Amino acid sequence: RSPLAQPPCDGHPACRGGHNRQIRSQMRPSRTLALVCMVVVFGVSYTIAGNIRAKTLGKYSGVVTTVLNSVLYVVVYFPVLFWRRWRGIIPPEQMAWTYSWRSPHAACGDSLWKRTGAWKYMLLAGFCDCLSQVLQFTSQAYVSLVAQVILHQMNVLYTAGWSMTLMGTRYVLLEVAGMSLSALGGIMTIISEPAKSSSAFHLALYAISAAPPALVLKEIMFRRWSAHAQSDLGDGCRPAALDIWCVNSMAALFQLFWVIPMAVVAAARERDADETAFEFFVGAWSCLHGSPSSGCSGALEWYLNYFFFDVLANVFIYMLISEGSALLAFITLKVNVPLTAILGLIHWPVVGAAKLNIAEVCSLFLVSAGAVLFFRGSLKREAIA
């Protein structure tokens, strides 16, 4: 039934401003298109800036970037969350539901998982975010920009798999074909490296960095709120969507919780044979501050430049997930592949200009074709549903 046909429920806190919400629902297609454009623009900028940052930090990239990201996400997200709550943009019911220790629908005899509040999804999402960043940033300095954008497209395969496992999503044949082409393109990129090349290991590491299901867990968070609010309202009203700052603030909090053990493990893996983990952290600090003995120049400036685009890209991706789904966000990110590859041919500071070989051109074609097939398959599945 159309939301416009539903009676207003302005008095209920979970569905504030029924008439205004109906007006906003009519504007949703243009809003979604604007979000898609923002994800593309800041996604491409984030990729290029991140590649420069990784080259500057070198072997310290994984530890430094993951730790600083975890701290700065909390520093940036929570003031925005409190400001939005203070202005009344975020209803108190959403804050209470997000941060409640116990599920409001828990009953006697339920398992611990069912009794626990929605924060459990963000506990897992924070772990997945942290693990994904460690894997990606540790290997990024050793992987070319074009290979990065090709391998990153394999995440649609991981997301589809996790969506089927955790949310019961089913896909049509065209979507399966698109996922298969994307996976084939990523595999071609890895095996095209010379057997003796040390970057082959980092290519594989980068390829699996998107495997943790952080985005799917965040989509589950949005859906759980909708189900909770709908159960309180009944069928006569469409509930307001969960505010994205409730989700990303809690995800950032739990990412900060996981980052220390993750950073210690990463440091133990990346340190030199004659270097202790403590000495590795000291070297990372010196590199970040551009100490002459570290060989790093402008690392802090390039990191801040990268973080600016990272925050904006994350915010718009969260908004797109809230408006649509995790798979819509991934489909949107497919547009970044040809754009980043083309812009990568320009000479950039630190990294220079990217070079395309035959294998990468073929891989780029495969993942782009896979994205088109997957998108057409998604439209077909939505039409059937």
Side-chain angles (χ1 to χ4, degrees), residues 199-277:
S199 63
F201 168 76
H202 292 101
L203 280 167
L205 205 63
Y206 195 91
I208 64 172
S209 66
L215 278 181
V216 175
L217 289 166
K218 293 165 188 174
E219 182 181 353
I220 291 175
M221 188 80 167
F222 286 112
R223 294 194 178 194
R224 287 289 185 271
W225 161 256
S226 296
H228 162 72
Q230 192 69 64
S231 67
D232 288 344
L233 296 172
D235 295 331
C237 182
R238 182 177 180 176
L242 180 63
D243 193 272
I244 61 166
W245 294 98
C246 290
V247 177
N248 59 18
S249 62
M250 177 165 275
L253 183 65
F254 282 118
Q255 183 174 334
L256 184 63
F257 171 79
W258 290 111
V259 73
I260 298 302
M262 289 276 191
V264 171
V265 173
R269 169 63 182 82
E270 290 298 305
R271 66 184 177 86
D272 296 331
D274 59 345
E275 186 180 31
T276 65

Side-chain angles (χ1 to χ4, degrees), residues 282-307:
V282 172
W285 180 263
S286 299
C287 178
L288 180 64
H289 285 79
S291 173
S293 60
S294 67
C296 302
S297 177
L300 181 59
E301 291 78 6
W302 285 119
Y303 171 79
L304 293 175
N305 181 62
Y306 147 82
F307 185 75

Side-chain angles (χ1 to χ4, degrees), residues 153-203:
Q153 304 318 302
M154 293 180 67
N155 55 20
V156 70
L157 186 64
Y158 303 131
T159 303
W162 285 115
S163 293
M164 286 190 292
T165 303
L166 301 178
M167 294 167 41
T169 308
R170 294 295 178 263
Y171 300 98
V172 298
L173 183 60
L174 274 178
E175 290 175 303
V176 175
M179 288 185 283
S180 301
L181 283 179
S182 295
L184 181 60
I187 293 172
M188 280 186 60
T189 303
I190 296 175
I191 64 177
S192 64
E193 286 293 316
K196 296 181 180 180
S197 174
S198 61
S199 63
F201 168 76
H202 292 101
L203 280 167

